Amino acid sequence: MAYIIGTILVIIALIIVGLILRKRVYDVVDRQESWKMDIMNRNIASELQRIKNLNLSGETQVKFETWKERWEYIITRELPDIEEYLLDAEEAADRYRFSTAKKILRKADQTLQSIESDIENILQELDQLLESEETSRLEIEQIQPEMKELRKKLSQHRYQYGKADAHFDNAIDELEKRLKQYHEFTQSGDYHEAQQLVDELKVEFATIRQQINDFPTIYKSCKHDLPAQLDELLTGIKGMKDDGYRVEHLGFEKEIHNYQRRLSDCVTSLDKGDLEDARQIIPELEERIKEMYVLLEKEAIAKNYIETQIPSYRHLLDELSTSFHETKIEVEELKQAYYFEDGDMEKYLTLDKAISQLRKQFDELSIEIENEDTSHMELREMIEAGFKQIESLQAELEAFKKRIRALRKDELEAKEKLSEVKNQLNDTLRKLNKSNIPGVPTFIWNLSETANEKNAQVLKTLEKKPLDITEVQHAITEAEKAIDTVVEQTDMMLDQAYLTEQVIQYANRYRSQYPLLAAKLAESERLFRSYEYELSLEQAAKALEEIEPGALKRIEAFQEEEVLN
């Protein structure tokens, strides 16, 4: 029983699967049937009738016949074959021959896709043909009146074209031949060739039109304007030469003659309708003429500059030479009394050489001005450089003058310093004489003697011939140091002596009470009378501090107050 039920279920399953697969085949058949009907219902024939507006001959007729035959073949052969394929597929599905049905449907699908592709190509080629015809026709309709207008312009202004009018007439004739050839192509149905010809014709016409429009201006420039400018420039150069301007070195005349020959060659080329050489030379020559005028103007300005500045230049150079000569005399005098540093002598000799060289350059410049071998622009550069040199040398000479004049100033200052040092020493000695101290320590006299020797050394260096101011300044410095030491040590010694007296007087109040203090004070007094003021102060201060700590500070404070008051 179970076996029977299983068998029945299998059969049912197979039937269901078969129905599903058959349904799928039917769906594909329905879709391809709809596709086929859509193709049959397309009005391709009426689309092809659009070509009837063109001339059905030549290339156009061949294409039309090809498209028509292909469409008729689709309608009469391929679509009926599709119908057979679909019936065969349904029949195979009814018999559960699904693989056969799939193969048939695949073949039908490929055929339908091929039909679609061919229809698309037909319509695309048709549109391209119609568009090409319309575009070329519109372009020709635009070119034709422009071509007539161009010929009219050439005819009315023929005098502006010289001998080139024949060339442009021939060029327009050639364009009209090409235009006639276009109409022949369209009448014979060769619209593709007609479109190619129109594309070429547009380029050629644009070129000829541009040449005809540009030619009068270019021809006038090469034939009249530029030659006239060159002639005027030559005349101007000749006039400048007659007026003494030095323009020969510029080589303009040879260059101008070369440009005149090139312009003549350009005119010959223009008479043949060739504008290329002229297009190149016109901007080049216009720019070069401007450059020539600029250089000639510079030469004229330079000549005027030289004529007006040479007297000033000579005057400044003479002033510089005179000033240096005066300085030279002063240096020779100073060399007898003073020692010159190597750097000062080097600067002096350098100035002498530079001024002599500048004078030599001016003499050479004067010769070149007279000989007329050098351009005024070059001469101006030389003069401008000379002015800068003079200005620099004047500054250097003034600095050198200040330097050598400072030698005497340093001498006077050294003598003043020496006088000050002597006065300081004398004041110190008077201060010692007025003091109430028992005597002056030997080291003070030694320092005073050293200071005197330093002063004597200053006098000795001042008396040397030539005077070495550096040595003098060194001697002054040493003398100042020596006197500073004398003053410092003397003041210190006097302060110590005075303080010692104060300490002993203050400590005397304890002398009777403290025998040991009395003995130490007696020793301090002995040292004081022996001029040992520092040791005496140390002995007395130490003895007092042992009896009354802090007494020394109070005595020092009291002494400072007296000094301030």
Side-chain angles (χ1 to χ4, degrees):
M1 188 66 180
Y3 176 76
I4 295 172
I5 293 172
T7 303
I8 292 171
L9 291 174
V10 170
I11 292 172
I12 292 171
L14 291 173
I15 291 172
I16 293 172
V17 171
L19 291 174
I20 293 172
L21 293 176
R22 187 163 59 183
K23 177 66 169 59
R24 289 181 178 177
V25 172
Y26 289 163
D27 289 342
V28 175
V29 169
D30 291 341
R31 181 175 60 78
Q32 291 187 351
E33 178 67 23
S34 298
W35 192 355
K36 183 200 72 171
M37 294 305 296
D38 176 66
I39 292 174
M40 290 182 66
N41 292 331
R42 293 180 193 175
N43 198 3
I44 302 300
S46 64
E47 289 289 330
L48 293 177
Q49 291 303 317
R50 292 161 57 198
I51 204 173
K52 292 294 183 69
N53 295 326
L54 305 181
N55 293 321
L56 284 177
S57 58
E59 177 188 9
T60 304
Q61 184 176 6
V62 171
K63 287 187 175 183
F64 177 74
E65 294 297 335
T66 301
W67 298 335
K68 183 179 178 183
E69 289 176 3
R70 176 61 182 140
W71 176 244
E72 289 177 352
Y73 184 79
I74 291 171
I75 295 297
T76 58
R77 292 290 302 274
E78 291 186 328
L79 292 181
D81 288 345
I82 294 296
E83 184 66 29
E84 291 295 330
Y85 291 152
L86 298 179
L87 292 173
D88 291 342
E90 287 182 341
E91 183 179 352
D94 290 340
R95 295 180 181 180
Y96 296 98
R97 295 166 59 187
F98 297 113
S99 65
T100 301
K102 287 182 179 181
K103 290 181 181 179
I104 295 172
L105 291 174
R106 191 179 300 113
K107 185 174 182 182
D109 186 78
Q110 292 174 350
T111 303
L112 286 170
Q113 289 182 2
S114 175
I115 291 171
E116 283 287 3
S117 178
D118 289 344
I119 292 173
E120 184 179 353
N121 289 335
I122 289 172
L123 295 177
Q124 185 177 2
E125 290 178 2
L126 175 62
D127 290 339
Q128 289 177 349
L129 179 61
L130 293 173
E131 183 181 352
S132 175
E133 184 278 334
E134 182 181 8
T135 301
S136 60
R137 175 168 46 79
L138 293 175
E139 290 176 343
I140 287 296
E141 289 175 357
Q142 181 181 354
I143 289 175
Q144 280 181 323
E146 291 179 355
M147 195 177 298
K148 290 181 180 179
E149 188 65 28
L150 191 63
R151 185 182 288 279
K152 181 180 177 181
K153 177 180 180 180
L154 180 63
S155 177
Q156 291 177 345
H157 303 87
R158 196 170 294 276
Y159 67 93
Q160 295 180 345
Y161 293 86
K163 297 179 182 179
D165 62 338
H167 167 78
F168 291 122
D169 275 331
N170 293 334
I172 295 175
D173 291 342
E174 186 63 30
L175 291 177
E176 289 177 344
K177 289 180 182 179
R178 303 291 298 277
L179 193 61
K180 182 178 180 181
Q181 188 178 7
Y182 162 80
H183 293 297
E184 292 175 353
F185 280 140
T186 56
Q187 289 174 2
S188 62
D190 296 327
Y191 292 100
H192 178 68
E193 286 81 356
Q195 178 63 50
Q196 289 182 333
L197 187 143
V198 170
D199 292 340
E200 295 172 359
L201 188 59
K202 282 169 56 182
V203 175
E204 294 173 4
F205 177 70
T207 301
I208 294 300
R209 180 173 57 186
Q210 187 67 43
Q211 290 179 345
I212 290 176
N213 290 335
D214 294 346
F215 189 90
T217 303
I218 294 175
Y219 187 74
K220 183 172 178 291
S221 294
C222 294
K223 182 75 173 178
H224 302 290
D225 295 347
L226 291 176
Q229 292 181 35
L230 292 177
D231 290 341
E232 183 180 355
L233 187 56
L234 275 175
T235 302
I237 291 173
K238 184 177 182 301
M240 290 184 72
K241 291 171 68 175
D242 294 340
D243 292 338
Y245 292 95
R246 302 175 184 179
V247 295
E248 189 69 30
H249 69 284
L250 297 173
F252 286 164
E253 291 171 300
K254 181 179 179 181
E255 187 176 359
I256 290 172
H257 291 317
N258 181 50
Y259 275 120
Q260 288 174 331
R261 286 192 295 271
R262 289 180 63 185
L263 286 174
S264 178
D265 294 339
C266 283
V267 172
T268 301
S269 299
L270 288 170
D271 287 338
K272 298 177 183 178
D274 184 1
L275 283 71
E276 292 307 312
D277 291 343
R279 290 184 193 277
Q280 293 179 7
I281 193 175
I282 288 175
E284 174 191 336
L285 182 51
E286 289 176 342
E287 182 64 26
R288 185 54 182 155
I289 288 175
K290 291 179 182 178
E291 292 174 356
M292 289 180 180
Y293 274 114
V294 169
L295 292 173
L296 291 173
E297 183 180 4
K298 286 184 177 180
E299 176 63 22
I301 294 173
K303 182 176 184 293
N304 180 69
Y305 176 87
I306 291 169
E307 291 173 350
T308 57
Q309 295 300 320
I310 276 292
S312 299
Y313 184 74
R314 181 184 292 106
H315 177 69
L316 288 175
L317 187 56
D318 290 343
E319 281 188 344
L320 179 64
S321 299
T322 300
S323 179
F324 182 75
H325 180 70
E326 293 172 353
T327 304
K328 190 173 184 179
I329 294 173
E330 186 176 0
V331 167
E332 293 301 324
E333 291 176 355
L334 291 174
K335 283 169 66 177
Q336 303 299 320
Y338 295 92
Y339 172 77
F340 275 77
E341 296 285 344
D342 291 343
D344 292 333
M345 287 305 300
E346 183 178 353
K347 174 60 69 175
Y348 170 74
L349 295 174
T350 301
L351 283 169
D352 189 6
K353 181 178 179 181
I355 294 173
S356 299
Q357 183 66 29
L358 195 58
R359 172 63 70 179
K360 180 179 179 182
Q361 289 176 359
F362 179 77
D363 294 338
E364 293 174 353
L365 178 65
S366 301
I367 293 173
E368 291 189 14
I369 292 175
E370 295 297 327
N371 290 341
E372 301 184 356
D373 292 333
T374 308
S375 71
H376 289 107
M377 286 187 289
E378 293 179 17
L379 293 173
R380 174 174 180 167
E381 292 176 359
M382 295 168 65
I383 292 174
E384 288 175 342
F387 273 123
K388 291 180 180 179
Q389 283 184 282
I390 290 174
E391 183 179 0
S392 176
L393 289 173
Q394 284 175 333
E396 293 180 17
L397 181 57
E398 287 302 316
F400 180 74
K401 285 181 177 181
K402 291 180 181 179
R403 174 68 178 168
I404 61 175
R405 287 167 185 168
L407 292 174
R408 289 179 174 173
K409 179 181 177 183
D410 291 342
E411 179 187 5
L412 295 175
E413 289 179 352
K415 290 180 178 180
E416 290 178 3
K417 286 284 186 183
L418 179 60
S419 177
E420 291 176 5
V421 168
K422 285 182 176 180
N423 290 335
Q424 280 185 291
L425 183 59
N426 291 332
D427 289 343
T428 302
L429 294 175
R430 282 195 295 270
K431 190 175 184 181
L432 286 172
N433 291 330
K434 290 180 180 181
S435 66
N436 295 322
I437 60 175
V440 178
T442 303
F443 78 91
I444 295 295
W445 295 122
N446 292 338
L447 290 175
S448 298
E449 184 63 27
T450 299
N452 278 322
E453 291 176 356
K454 295 295 183 182
N455 290 342
Q457 182 63 32
V458 173
L459 285 173
K460 186 177 180 180
T461 55
L462 285 171
E463 292 171 354
K464 282 186 177 180
K465 300 297 181 182
L467 181 65
D468 187 344
I469 198 63
T470 302
E471 185 180 358
V472 171
Q473 290 173 342
H474 176 73
I476 284 290
T477 302
E478 293 297 317
E480 286 179 328
K481 289 180 181 179
I483 193 58
D484 288 342
T485 302
V486 172
V487 172
E488 180 184 355
Q489 292 297 321
T490 299
D491 289 341
M492 184 184 297
M493 181 270 294
L494 292 174
D495 289 342
Q496 288 173 347
Y498 179 69
L499 184 58
T500 301
E501 289 180 340
Q502 296 295 318
V503 170
I504 291 173
Q505 288 177 7
Y506 187 87
N508 281 336
R509 68 183 64 181
Y510 300 110
R511 186 187 290 266
S512 60
Q513 299 176 18
Y514 299 96
L516 183 59
L517 172 64
K520 290 182 177 180
L521 290 178
E523 177 62 20
S524 176
E525 290 172 348
R526 185 190 68 77
L527 292 172
F528 187 82
R529 288 190 296 272
S530 299
Y531 320 146
E532 298 289 343
Y533 302 112
E534 183 176 2
L535 293 175
S536 177
L537 175 61
E538 182 181 348
Q539 183 75 14
K542 183 177 180 182
L544 180 60
E545 285 294 318
E546 289 176 355
I547 302 302
E548 184 182 342
L552 180 63
K553 288 185 178 180
R554 287 192 293 272
I555 295 171
E556 287 177 342
F558 177 76
Q559 184 174 339
E560 288 178 1
E561 288 180 5
E562 284 189 343
V563 172
L564 292 175
N565 292 331

